[in-house]
mmCIF file with all atom_site columns, all heavy atoms in Angstrom:
data_model
loop_
_atom_site.group_PDB
_atom_site.id
_atom_site.type_symbol
_atom_site.label_atom_id
_atom_site.label_alt_id
_atom_site.label_comp_id
_atom_site.label_asym_id
_atom_site.label_entity_id
_atom_site.label_seq_id
_atom_site.pdbx_PDB_ins_code
_atom_site.Cartn_x
_atom_site.Cartn_y
_atom_site.Cartn_z
_atom_site.occupancy
_atom_site.B_iso_or_equiv
_atom_site.pdbx_formal_charge
_atom_site.auth_seq_id
_atom_site.auth_comp_id
_atom_site.auth_asym_id
_atom_site.auth_atom_id
_atom_site.pdbx_PDB_model_num
ATOM 1   N N   . ILE A 1 1  ? 20.761 -68.387 39.344 1.00 0.00 ? 576 ILE A N   1
ATOM 2   C CA  . ILE A 1 1  ? 20.207 -67.840 38.095 1.00 0.00 ? 576 ILE A CA  1
ATOM 3   C C   . ILE A 1 1  ? 21.161 -66.778 37.565 1.00 0.00 ? 576 ILE A C   1
ATOM 4   O O   . ILE A 1 1  ? 21.483 -65.817 38.267 1.00 0.00 ? 576 ILE A O   1
ATOM 5   C CB  . ILE A 1 1  ? 18.806 -67.241 38.322 1.00 0.00 ? 576 ILE A CB  1
ATOM 6   C CG1 . ILE A 1 1  ? 17.834 -68.316 38.807 1.00 0.00 ? 576 ILE A CG1 1
ATOM 7   C CG2 . ILE A 1 1  ? 18.284 -66.588 37.040 1.00 0.00 ? 576 ILE A CG2 1
ATOM 8   C CD1 . ILE A 1 1  ? 16.473 -67.780 39.219 1.00 0.00 ? 576 ILE A CD1 1
ATOM 9   N N   . ASP A 1 2  ? 21.622 -66.951 36.350 1.00 0.00 ? 577 ASP A N   1
ATOM 10  C CA  . ASP A 1 2  ? 22.584 -66.037 35.735 1.00 0.00 ? 577 ASP A CA  1
ATOM 11  C C   . ASP A 1 2  ? 21.846 -64.822 35.178 1.00 0.00 ? 577 ASP A C   1
ATOM 12  O O   . ASP A 1 2  ? 21.167 -64.910 34.155 1.00 0.00 ? 577 ASP A O   1
ATOM 13  C CB  . ASP A 1 2  ? 23.336 -66.768 34.617 1.00 0.00 ? 577 ASP A CB  1
ATOM 14  C CG  . ASP A 1 2  ? 24.385 -65.905 33.937 1.00 0.00 ? 577 ASP A CG  1
ATOM 15  O OD1 . ASP A 1 2  ? 24.538 -64.720 34.306 1.00 0.00 ? 577 ASP A OD1 1
ATOM 16  O OD2 . ASP A 1 2  ? 25.045 -66.423 33.014 1.00 0.00 ? 577 ASP A OD2 1
ATOM 17  N N   . LEU A 1 3  ? 21.978 -63.674 35.844 1.00 0.00 ? 578 LEU A N   1
ATOM 18  C CA  . LEU A 1 3  ? 21.244 -62.485 35.413 1.00 0.00 ? 578 LEU A CA  1
ATOM 19  C C   . LEU A 1 3  ? 21.728 -61.967 34.066 1.00 0.00 ? 578 LEU A C   1
ATOM 20  O O   . LEU A 1 3  ? 21.003 -61.253 33.382 1.00 0.00 ? 578 LEU A O   1
ATOM 21  C CB  . LEU A 1 3  ? 21.357 -61.377 36.470 1.00 0.00 ? 578 LEU A CB  1
ATOM 22  C CG  . LEU A 1 3  ? 20.760 -61.700 37.846 1.00 0.00 ? 578 LEU A CG  1
ATOM 23  C CD1 . LEU A 1 3  ? 20.731 -60.448 38.716 1.00 0.00 ? 578 LEU A CD1 1
ATOM 24  C CD2 . LEU A 1 3  ? 19.370 -62.286 37.732 1.00 0.00 ? 578 LEU A CD2 1
ATOM 25  N N   . GLY A 1 4  ? 22.933 -62.334 33.694 1.00 0.00 ? 579 GLY A N   1
ATOM 26  C CA  . GLY A 1 4  ? 23.429 -61.937 32.378 1.00 0.00 ? 579 GLY A CA  1
ATOM 27  C C   . GLY A 1 4  ? 22.812 -62.725 31.241 1.00 0.00 ? 579 GLY A C   1
ATOM 28  O O   . GLY A 1 4  ? 22.947 -62.344 30.070 1.00 0.00 ? 579 GLY A O   1
ATOM 29  N N   . ALA A 1 5  ? 22.112 -63.818 31.565 1.00 0.00 ? 580 ALA A N   1
ATOM 30  C CA  . ALA A 1 5  ? 21.563 -64.696 30.534 1.00 0.00 ? 580 ALA A CA  1
ATOM 31  C C   . ALA A 1 5  ? 20.048 -64.631 30.427 1.00 0.00 ? 580 ALA A C   1
ATOM 32  O O   . ALA A 1 5  ? 19.460 -65.324 29.593 1.00 0.00 ? 580 ALA A O   1
ATOM 33  C CB  . ALA A 1 5  ? 21.987 -66.141 30.818 1.00 0.00 ? 580 ALA A CB  1
ATOM 34  N N   . ILE A 1 6  ? 19.405 -63.817 31.275 1.00 0.00 ? 581 ILE A N   1
ATOM 35  C CA  . ILE A 1 6  ? 17.936 -63.750 31.267 1.00 0.00 ? 581 ILE A CA  1
ATOM 36  C C   . ILE A 1 6  ? 17.486 -62.292 31.204 1.00 0.00 ? 581 ILE A C   1
ATOM 37  O O   . ILE A 1 6  ? 18.280 -61.364 31.372 1.00 0.00 ? 581 ILE A O   1
ATOM 38  C CB  . ILE A 1 6  ? 17.325 -64.395 32.533 1.00 0.00 ? 581 ILE A CB  1
ATOM 39  C CG1 . ILE A 1 6  ? 17.757 -63.627 33.805 1.00 0.00 ? 581 ILE A CG1 1
ATOM 40  C CG2 . ILE A 1 6  ? 17.708 -65.860 32.639 1.00 0.00 ? 581 ILE A CG2 1
ATOM 41  C CD1 . ILE A 1 6  ? 16.980 -64.007 35.054 1.00 0.00 ? 581 ILE A CD1 1
ATOM 42  N N   . THR A 1 7  ? 16.205 -62.087 30.954 1.00 0.00 ? 582 THR A N   1
ATOM 43  C CA  . THR A 1 7  ? 15.580 -60.778 31.165 1.00 0.00 ? 582 THR A CA  1
ATOM 44  C C   . THR A 1 7  ? 14.584 -60.922 32.302 1.00 0.00 ? 582 THR A C   1
ATOM 45  O O   . THR A 1 7  ? 13.999 -61.994 32.497 1.00 0.00 ? 582 THR A O   1
ATOM 46  C CB  . THR A 1 7  ? 14.860 -60.258 29.907 1.00 0.00 ? 582 THR A CB  1
ATOM 47  O OG1 . THR A 1 7  ? 13.747 -61.122 29.626 1.00 0.00 ? 582 THR A OG1 1
ATOM 48  C CG2 . THR A 1 7  ? 15.782 -60.212 28.715 1.00 0.00 ? 582 THR A CG2 1
ATOM 49  N N   . THR A 1 8  ? 14.404 -59.864 33.058 1.00 0.00 ? 583 THR A N   1
ATOM 50  C CA  . THR A 1 8  ? 13.524 -59.893 34.222 1.00 0.00 ? 583 THR A CA  1
ATOM 51  C C   . THR A 1 8  ? 12.592 -58.698 34.186 1.00 0.00 ? 583 THR A C   1
ATOM 52  O O   . THR A 1 8  ? 13.024 -57.581 33.906 1.00 0.00 ? 583 THR A O   1
ATOM 53  C CB  . THR A 1 8  ? 14.349 -59.839 35.526 1.00 0.00 ? 583 THR A CB  1
ATOM 54  O OG1 . THR A 1 8  ? 15.273 -60.920 35.544 1.00 0.00 ? 583 THR A OG1 1
ATOM 55  C CG2 . THR A 1 8  ? 13.450 -59.931 36.752 1.00 0.00 ? 583 THR A CG2 1
ATOM 56  N N   . SER A 1 9  ? 11.315 -58.939 34.447 1.00 0.00 ? 584 SER A N   1
ATOM 57  C CA  . SER A 1 9  ? 10.341 -57.855 34.542 1.00 0.00 ? 584 SER A CA  1
ATOM 58  C C   . SER A 1 9  ? 9.899  -57.730 35.994 1.00 0.00 ? 584 SER A C   1
ATOM 59  O O   . SER A 1 9  ? 9.497  -58.720 36.603 1.00 0.00 ? 584 SER A O   1
ATOM 60  C CB  . SER A 1 9  ? 9.131  -58.128 33.648 1.00 0.00 ? 584 SER A CB  1
ATOM 61  O OG  . SER A 1 9  ? 8.162  -57.102 33.801 1.00 0.00 ? 584 SER A OG  1
ATOM 62  N N   . MET A 1 10 ? 10.008 -56.523 36.543 1.00 0.00 ? 585 MET A N   1
ATOM 63  C CA  . MET A 1 10 ? 9.655  -56.298 37.944 1.00 0.00 ? 585 MET A CA  1
ATOM 64  C C   . MET A 1 10 ? 8.489  -55.322 38.038 1.00 0.00 ? 585 MET A C   1
ATOM 65  O O   . MET A 1 10 ? 8.603  -54.176 37.616 1.00 0.00 ? 585 MET A O   1
ATOM 66  C CB  . MET A 1 10 ? 10.867 -55.762 38.704 1.00 0.00 ? 585 MET A CB  1
ATOM 67  C CG  . MET A 1 10 ? 11.962 -56.796 38.876 1.00 0.00 ? 585 MET A CG  1
ATOM 68  S SD  . MET A 1 10 ? 13.431 -56.148 39.705 1.00 0.00 ? 585 MET A SD  1
ATOM 69  C CE  . MET A 1 10 ? 14.392 -55.589 38.304 1.00 0.00 ? 585 MET A CE  1
ATOM 70  N N   . THR A 1 11 ? 7.367  -55.791 38.568 1.00 0.00 ? 586 THR A N   1
ATOM 71  C CA  . THR A 1 11 ? 6.202  -54.938 38.747 1.00 0.00 ? 586 THR A CA  1
ATOM 72  C C   . THR A 1 11 ? 6.350  -54.210 40.076 1.00 0.00 ? 586 THR A C   1
ATOM 73  O O   . THR A 1 11 ? 5.821  -54.631 41.096 1.00 0.00 ? 586 THR A O   1
ATOM 74  C CB  . THR A 1 11 ? 4.914  -55.767 38.703 1.00 0.00 ? 586 THR A CB  1
ATOM 75  O OG1 . THR A 1 11 ? 4.909  -56.541 37.507 1.00 0.00 ? 586 THR A OG1 1
ATOM 76  C CG2 . THR A 1 11 ? 3.687  -54.877 38.708 1.00 0.00 ? 586 THR A CG2 1
ATOM 77  N N   . ILE A 1 12 ? 7.096  -53.114 40.048 1.00 0.00 ? 587 ILE A N   1
ATOM 78  C CA  . ILE A 1 12 ? 7.380  -52.346 41.255 1.00 0.00 ? 587 ILE A CA  1
ATOM 79  C C   . ILE A 1 12 ? 7.350  -50.870 40.889 1.00 0.00 ? 587 ILE A C   1
ATOM 80  O O   . ILE A 1 12 ? 7.787  -50.499 39.795 1.00 0.00 ? 587 ILE A O   1
ATOM 81  C CB  . ILE A 1 12 ? 8.738  -52.762 41.867 1.00 0.00 ? 587 ILE A CB  1
ATOM 82  C CG1 . ILE A 1 12 ? 8.954  -52.135 43.236 1.00 0.00 ? 587 ILE A CG1 1
ATOM 83  C CG2 . ILE A 1 12 ? 9.893  -52.473 40.924 1.00 0.00 ? 587 ILE A CG2 1
ATOM 84  C CD1 . ILE A 1 12 ? 8.024  -52.660 44.300 1.00 0.00 ? 587 ILE A CD1 1
ATOM 85  N N   . ASN A 1 13 ? 6.837  -50.038 41.788 1.00 0.00 ? 588 ASN A N   1
ATOM 86  C CA  . ASN A 1 13 ? 6.639  -48.633 41.425 1.00 0.00 ? 588 ASN A CA  1
ATOM 87  C C   . ASN A 1 13 ? 7.270  -47.674 42.427 1.00 0.00 ? 588 ASN A C   1
ATOM 88  O O   . ASN A 1 13 ? 8.394  -47.232 42.222 1.00 0.00 ? 588 ASN A O   1
ATOM 89  C CB  . ASN A 1 13 ? 5.148  -48.363 41.216 1.00 0.00 ? 588 ASN A CB  1
ATOM 90  C CG  . ASN A 1 13 ? 4.619  -49.118 40.011 1.00 0.00 ? 588 ASN A CG  1
ATOM 91  O OD1 . ASN A 1 13 ? 4.853  -48.729 38.884 1.00 0.00 ? 588 ASN A OD1 1
ATOM 92  N ND2 . ASN A 1 13 ? 3.932  -50.234 40.234 1.00 0.00 ? 588 ASN A ND2 1
ATOM 93  N N   . SER A 1 14 ? 6.629  -47.360 43.525 1.00 0.00 ? 589 SER A N   1
ATOM 94  C CA  . SER A 1 14 ? 7.216  -46.395 44.458 1.00 0.00 ? 589 SER A CA  1
ATOM 95  C C   . SER A 1 14 ? 8.629  -46.774 44.894 1.00 0.00 ? 589 SER A C   1
ATOM 96  O O   . SER A 1 14 ? 9.528  -45.945 44.871 1.00 0.00 ? 589 SER A O   1
ATOM 97  C CB  . SER A 1 14 ? 6.317  -46.221 45.684 1.00 0.00 ? 589 SER A CB  1
ATOM 98  O OG  . SER A 1 14 ? 5.148  -45.525 45.333 1.00 0.00 ? 589 SER A OG  1
ATOM 99  N N   . PRO A 1 15 ? 8.880  -48.026 45.307 1.00 0.00 ? 590 PRO A N   1
ATOM 100 C CA  . PRO A 1 15 ? 10.252 -48.394 45.679 1.00 0.00 ? 590 PRO A CA  1
ATOM 101 C C   . PRO A 1 15 ? 11.057 -48.969 44.512 1.00 0.00 ? 590 PRO A C   1
ATOM 102 O O   . PRO A 1 15 ? 12.018 -49.706 44.726 1.00 0.00 ? 590 PRO A O   1
ATOM 103 C CB  . PRO A 1 15 ? 10.065 -49.461 46.768 1.00 0.00 ? 590 PRO A CB  1
ATOM 104 C CG  . PRO A 1 15 ? 8.599  -49.734 46.845 1.00 0.00 ? 590 PRO A CG  1
ATOM 105 C CD  . PRO A 1 15 ? 7.952  -49.107 45.664 1.00 0.00 ? 590 PRO A CD  1
ATOM 106 N N   . ALA A 1 16 ? 10.685 -48.636 43.270 1.00 0.00 ? 591 ALA A N   1
ATOM 107 C CA  . ALA A 1 16 ? 11.376 -49.196 42.103 1.00 0.00 ? 591 ALA A CA  1
ATOM 108 C C   . ALA A 1 16 ? 12.884 -48.942 42.116 1.00 0.00 ? 591 ALA A C   1
ATOM 109 O O   . ALA A 1 16 ? 13.663 -49.848 41.807 1.00 0.00 ? 591 ALA A O   1
ATOM 110 C CB  . ALA A 1 16 ? 10.755 -48.664 40.814 1.00 0.00 ? 591 ALA A CB  1
ATOM 111 N N   . PRO A 1 17 ? 13.351 -47.717 42.474 1.00 0.00 ? 592 PRO A N   1
ATOM 112 C CA  . PRO A 1 17 ? 14.805 -47.501 42.464 1.00 0.00 ? 592 PRO A CA  1
ATOM 113 C C   . PRO A 1 17 ? 15.537 -48.423 43.438 1.00 0.00 ? 592 PRO A C   1
ATOM 114 O O   . PRO A 1 17 ? 16.636 -48.901 43.144 1.00 0.00 ? 592 PRO A O   1
ATOM 115 C CB  . PRO A 1 17 ? 14.950 -46.034 42.881 1.00 0.00 ? 592 PRO A CB  1
ATOM 116 C CG  . PRO A 1 17 ? 13.621 -45.406 42.621 1.00 0.00 ? 592 PRO A CG  1
ATOM 117 C CD  . PRO A 1 17 ? 12.622 -46.490 42.815 1.00 0.00 ? 592 PRO A CD  1
ATOM 118 N N   . MET A 1 18 ? 14.937 -48.676 44.594 1.00 0.00 ? 593 MET A N   1
ATOM 119 C CA  . MET A 1 18 ? 15.578 -49.526 45.599 1.00 0.00 ? 593 MET A CA  1
ATOM 120 C C   . MET A 1 18 ? 15.645 -50.987 45.130 1.00 0.00 ? 593 MET A C   1
ATOM 121 O O   . MET A 1 18 ? 16.687 -51.645 45.246 1.00 0.00 ? 593 MET A O   1
ATOM 122 C CB  . MET A 1 18 ? 14.810 -49.470 46.926 1.00 0.00 ? 593 MET A CB  1
ATOM 123 C CG  . MET A 1 18 ? 14.751 -48.092 47.570 1.00 0.00 ? 593 MET A CG  1
ATOM 124 S SD  . MET A 1 18 ? 13.487 -47.044 46.782 1.00 0.00 ? 593 MET A SD  1
ATOM 125 C CE  . MET A 1 18 ? 13.608 -45.559 47.750 1.00 0.00 ? 593 MET A CE  1
ATOM 126 N N   . ILE A 1 19 ? 14.539 -51.489 44.585 1.00 0.00 ? 594 ILE A N   1
ATOM 127 C CA  . ILE A 1 19 ? 14.498 -52.876 44.122 1.00 0.00 ? 594 ILE A CA  1
ATOM 128 C C   . ILE A 1 19 ? 15.424 -53.054 42.918 1.00 0.00 ? 594 ILE A C   1
ATOM 129 O O   . ILE A 1 19 ? 16.142 -54.056 42.800 1.00 0.00 ? 594 ILE A O   1
ATOM 130 C CB  . ILE A 1 19 ? 13.055 -53.289 43.780 1.00 0.00 ? 594 ILE A CB  1
ATOM 131 C CG1 . ILE A 1 19 ? 12.166 -53.199 45.032 1.00 0.00 ? 594 ILE A CG1 1
ATOM 132 C CG2 . ILE A 1 19 ? 13.008 -54.678 43.181 1.00 0.00 ? 594 ILE A CG2 1
ATOM 133 C CD1 . ILE A 1 19 ? 12.554 -54.143 46.148 1.00 0.00 ? 594 ILE A CD1 1
ATOM 134 N N   . PHE A 1 20 ? 15.416 -52.082 42.015 1.00 0.00 ? 595 PHE A N   1
ATOM 135 C CA  . PHE A 1 20 ? 16.303 -52.136 40.844 1.00 0.00 ? 595 PHE A CA  1
ATOM 136 C C   . PHE A 1 20 ? 17.768 -52.126 41.289 1.00 0.00 ? 595 PHE A C   1
ATOM 137 O O   . PHE A 1 20 ? 18.598 -52.875 40.761 1.00 0.00 ? 595 PHE A O   1
ATOM 138 C CB  . PHE A 1 20 ? 16.004 -50.939 39.930 1.00 0.00 ? 595 PHE A CB  1
ATOM 139 C CG  . PHE A 1 20 ? 16.799 -50.918 38.652 1.00 0.00 ? 595 PHE A CG  1
ATOM 140 C CD1 . PHE A 1 20 ? 17.002 -52.062 37.901 1.00 0.00 ? 595 PHE A CD1 1
ATOM 141 C CD2 . PHE A 1 20 ? 17.337 -49.721 38.183 1.00 0.00 ? 595 PHE A CD2 1
ATOM 142 C CE1 . PHE A 1 20 ? 17.727 -52.027 36.719 1.00 0.00 ? 595 PHE A CE1 1
ATOM 143 C CE2 . PHE A 1 20 ? 18.061 -49.679 37.004 1.00 0.00 ? 595 PHE A CE2 1
ATOM 144 C CZ  . PHE A 1 20 ? 18.253 -50.835 36.276 1.00 0.00 ? 595 PHE A CZ  1
ATOM 145 N N   . ALA A 1 21 ? 18.092 -51.299 42.278 1.00 0.00 ? 596 ALA A N   1
ATOM 146 C CA  . ALA A 1 21 ? 19.456 -51.242 42.793 1.00 0.00 ? 596 ALA A CA  1
ATOM 147 C C   . ALA A 1 21 ? 19.875 -52.601 43.356 1.00 0.00 ? 596 ALA A C   1
ATOM 148 O O   . ALA A 1 21 ? 21.023 -53.043 43.161 1.00 0.00 ? 596 ALA A O   1
ATOM 149 C CB  . ALA A 1 21 ? 19.575 -50.154 43.861 1.00 0.00 ? 596 ALA A CB  1
ATOM 150 N N   . MET A 1 22 ? 18.967 -53.289 44.040 1.00 0.00 ? 597 MET A N   1
ATOM 151 C CA  . MET A 1 22 ? 19.277 -54.622 44.567 1.00 0.00 ? 597 MET A CA  1
ATOM 152 C C   . MET A 1 22 ? 19.555 -55.609 43.434 1.00 0.00 ? 597 MET A C   1
ATOM 153 O O   . MET A 1 22 ? 20.486 -56.428 43.515 1.00 0.00 ? 597 MET A O   1
ATOM 154 C CB  . MET A 1 22 ? 18.118 -55.122 45.431 1.00 0.00 ? 597 MET A CB  1
ATOM 155 C CG  . MET A 1 22 ? 17.932 -54.361 46.725 1.00 0.00 ? 597 MET A CG  1
ATOM 156 S SD  . MET A 1 22 ? 16.483 -54.974 47.630 1.00 0.00 ? 597 MET A SD  1
ATOM 157 C CE  . MET A 1 22 ? 16.359 -53.726 48.918 1.00 0.00 ? 597 MET A CE  1
ATOM 158 N N   . TYR A 1 23 ? 18.761 -55.533 42.388 1.00 0.00 ? 598 TYR A N   1
ATOM 159 C CA  . TYR A 1 23 ? 18.959 -56.411 41.232 1.00 0.00 ? 598 TYR A CA  1
ATOM 160 C C   . TYR A 1 23 ? 20.337 -56.171 40.620 1.00 0.00 ? 598 TYR A C   1
ATOM 161 O O   . TYR A 1 23 ? 21.071 -57.114 40.304 1.00 0.00 ? 598 TYR A O   1
ATOM 162 C CB  . TYR A 1 23 ? 17.845 -56.144 40.212 1.00 0.00 ? 598 TYR A CB  1
ATOM 163 C CG  . TYR A 1 23 ? 17.828 -57.080 39.031 1.00 0.00 ? 598 TYR A CG  1
ATOM 164 C CD1 . TYR A 1 23 ? 17.132 -58.288 39.083 1.00 0.00 ? 598 TYR A CD1 1
ATOM 165 C CD2 . TYR A 1 23 ? 18.486 -56.762 37.844 1.00 0.00 ? 598 TYR A CD2 1
ATOM 166 C CE1 . TYR A 1 23 ? 17.094 -59.142 37.999 1.00 0.00 ? 598 TYR A CE1 1
ATOM 167 C CE2 . TYR A 1 23 ? 18.456 -57.611 36.750 1.00 0.00 ? 598 TYR A CE2 1
ATOM 168 C CZ  . TYR A 1 23 ? 17.759 -58.797 36.832 1.00 0.00 ? 598 TYR A CZ  1
ATOM 169 O OH  . TYR A 1 23 ? 17.727 -59.649 35.755 1.00 0.00 ? 598 TYR A OH  1
ATOM 170 N N   . LEU A 1 24 ? 20.696 -54.897 40.467 1.00 0.00 ? 599 LEU A N   1
ATOM 171 C CA  . LEU A 1 24 ? 21.999 -54.563 39.891 1.00 0.00 ? 599 LEU A CA  1
ATOM 172 C C   . LEU A 1 24 ? 23.134 -55.028 40.794 1.00 0.00 ? 599 LEU A C   1
ATOM 173 O O   . LEU A 1 24 ? 24.193 -55.470 40.309 1.00 0.00 ? 599 LEU A O   1
ATOM 174 C CB  . LEU A 1 24 ? 22.097 -53.058 39.655 1.00 0.00 ? 599 LEU A CB  1
ATOM 175 C CG  . LEU A 1 24 ? 21.176 -52.474 38.585 1.00 0.00 ? 599 LEU A CG  1
ATOM 176 C CD1 . LEU A 1 24 ? 21.356 -50.956 38.505 1.00 0.00 ? 599 LEU A CD1 1
ATOM 177 C CD2 . LEU A 1 24 ? 21.430 -53.101 37.216 1.00 0.00 ? 599 LEU A CD2 1
ATOM 178 N N   . ALA A 1 25 ? 22.940 -54.933 42.113 1.00 0.00 ? 600 ALA A N   1
ATOM 179 C CA  . ALA A 1 25 ? 23.974 -55.375 43.045 1.00 0.00 ? 600 ALA A CA  1
ATOM 180 C C   . ALA A 1 25 ? 24.198 -56.883 42.940 1.00 0.00 ? 600 ALA A C   1
ATOM 181 O O   . ALA A 1 25 ? 25.339 -57.356 43.009 1.00 0.00 ? 600 ALA A O   1
ATOM 182 C CB  . ALA A 1 25 ? 23.595 -54.985 44.472 1.00 0.00 ? 600 ALA A CB  1
ATOM 183 N N   . VAL A 1 26 ? 23.125 -57.658 42.757 1.00 0.00 ? 601 VAL A N   1
ATOM 184 C CA  . VAL A 1 26 ? 23.273 -59.103 42.565 1.00 0.00 ? 601 VAL A CA  1
ATOM 185 C C   . VAL A 1 26 ? 24.004 -59.380 41.257 1.00 0.00 ? 601 VAL A C   1
ATOM 186 O O   . VAL A 1 26 ? 24.907 -60.237 41.199 1.00 0.00 ? 601 VAL A O   1
ATOM 187 C CB  . VAL A 1 26 ? 21.897 -59.807 42.587 1.00 0.00 ? 601 VAL A CB  1
ATOM 188 C CG1 . VAL A 1 26 ? 22.042 -61.279 42.181 1.00 0.00 ? 601 VAL A CG1 1
ATOM 189 C CG2 . VAL A 1 26 ? 21.269 -59.710 43.962 1.00 0.00 ? 601 VAL A CG2 1
ATOM 190 N N   . ALA A 1 27 ? 23.649 -58.673 40.201 1.00 0.00 ? 602 ALA A N   1
ATOM 191 C CA  . ALA A 1 27 ? 24.342 -58.833 38.918 1.00 0.00 ? 602 ALA A CA  1
ATOM 192 C C   . ALA A 1 27 ? 25.833 -58.522 39.081 1.00 0.00 ? 602 ALA A C   1
ATOM 193 O O   . ALA A 1 27 ? 26.693 -59.223 38.533 1.00 0.00 ? 602 ALA A O   1
ATOM 194 C CB  . ALA A 1 27 ? 23.714 -57.923 37.864 1.00 0.00 ? 602 ALA A CB  1
ATOM 195 N N   . GLU A 1 28 ? 26.102 -57.480 39.837 1.00 0.00 ? 603 GLU A N   1
ATOM 196 C CA  . GLU A 1 28 ? 27.489 -57.075 40.119 1.00 0.00 ? 603 GLU A CA  1
ATOM 197 C C   . GLU A 1 28 ? 28.231 -58.206 40.838 1.00 0.00 ? 603 GLU A C   1
ATOM 198 O O   . GLU A 1 28 ? 29.373 -58.541 40.490 1.00 0.00 ? 603 GLU A O   1
ATOM 199 C CB  . GLU A 1 28 ? 27.444 -55.825 40.987 1.00 0.00 ? 603 GLU A CB  1
ATOM 200 C CG  . GLU A 1 28 ? 28.753 -55.137 41.258 1.00 0.00 ? 603 GLU A CG  1
ATOM 201 C CD  . GLU A 1 28 ? 28.485 -53.840 42.033 1.00 0.00 ? 603 GLU A CD  1
ATOM 202 O OE1 . GLU A 1 28 ? 27.992 -53.910 43.182 1.00 0.00 ? 603 GLU A OE1 1
ATOM 203 O OE2 . GLU A 1 28 ? 28.766 -52.771 41.479 1.00 0.00 ? 603 GLU A OE2 1
ATOM 204 N N   . GLN A 1 29 ? 27.606 -58.804 41.839 1.00 0.00 ? 604 GLN A N   1
ATOM 205 C CA  . GLN A 1 29 ? 28.215 -59.917 42.569 1.00 0.00 ? 604 GLN A CA  1
ATOM 206 C C   . GLN A 1 29 ? 28.501 -61.107 41.655 1.00 0.00 ? 604 GLN A C   1
ATOM 207 O O   . GLN A 1 29 ? 29.502 -61.818 41.818 1.00 0.00 ? 604 GLN A O   1
ATOM 208 C CB  . GLN A 1 29 ? 27.286 -60.375 43.697 1.00 0.00 ? 604 GLN A CB  1
ATOM 209 C CG  . GLN A 1 29 ? 27.137 -59.395 44.839 1.00 0.00 ? 604 GLN A CG  1
ATOM 210 C CD  . GLN A 1 29 ? 26.078 -59.843 45.842 1.00 0.00 ? 604 GLN A CD  1
ATOM 211 O OE1 . GLN A 1 29 ? 25.407 -60.863 45.636 1.00 0.00 ? 604 GLN A OE1 1
ATOM 212 N NE2 . GLN A 1 29 ? 25.915 -59.090 46.919 1.00 0.00 ? 604 GLN A NE2 1
ATOM 213 N N   . GLN A 1 30 ? 27.618 -61.324 40.669 1.00 0.00 ? 605 GLN A N   1
ATOM 214 C CA  . GLN A 1 30 ? 27.781 -62.435 39.735 1.00 0.00 ? 605 GLN A CA  1
ATOM 215 C C   . GLN A 1 30 ? 28.833 -62.161 38.666 1.00 0.00 ? 605 GLN A C   1
ATOM 216 O O   . GLN A 1 30 ? 29.192 -63.064 37.908 1.00 0.00 ? 605 GLN A O   1
ATOM 217 C CB  . GLN A 1 30 ? 26.445 -62.752 39.061 1.00 0.00 ? 605 GLN A CB  1
ATOM 218 C CG  . GLN A 1 30 ? 25.377 -63.304 39.977 1.00 0.00 ? 605 GLN A CG  1
ATOM 219 C CD  . GLN A 1 30 ? 24.082 -63.621 39.231 1.00 0.00 ? 605 GLN A CD  1
ATOM 220 O OE1 . GLN A 1 30 ? 23.961 -63.379 38.013 1.00 0.00 ? 605 GLN A OE1 1
ATOM 221 N NE2 . GLN A 1 30 ? 23.107 -64.176 39.938 1.00 0.00 ? 605 GLN A NE2 1
ATOM 222 N N   . GLY A 1 31 ? 29.290 -60.896 38.603 1.00 0.00 ? 606 GLY A N   1
ATOM 223 C CA  . GLY A 1 31 ? 30.254 -60.536 37.565 1.00 0.00 ? 606 GLY A CA  1
ATOM 224 C C   . GLY A 1 31 ? 29.617 -60.202 36.230 1.00 0.00 ? 606 GLY A C   1
ATOM 225 O O   . GLY A 1 31 ? 30.315 -60.126 35.202 1.00 0.00 ? 606 GLY A O   1
#
């Protein structure tokens, strides 16, 4: 799934920074 081509909504709260960081790291890996 190309993260540059979609939008994603994540229902996450207390660990939101950690989950968001993982999402960004995957985007980073994809270029």
Side-chain angles (χ1 to χ4, degrees):
I576 299 173
D577 181 359
L578 298 189
I581 63 168
T582 66
T583 303
S584 177
M585 290 177 269
T586 307
I587 189 68
N588 294 284
S589 289
M593 298 79 178
I594 298 297
F595 183 43
M597 292 177 189
Y598 186 88
L599 293 178
V601 172
E603 187 175 64
Q604 291 173 356
Q605 293 181 357

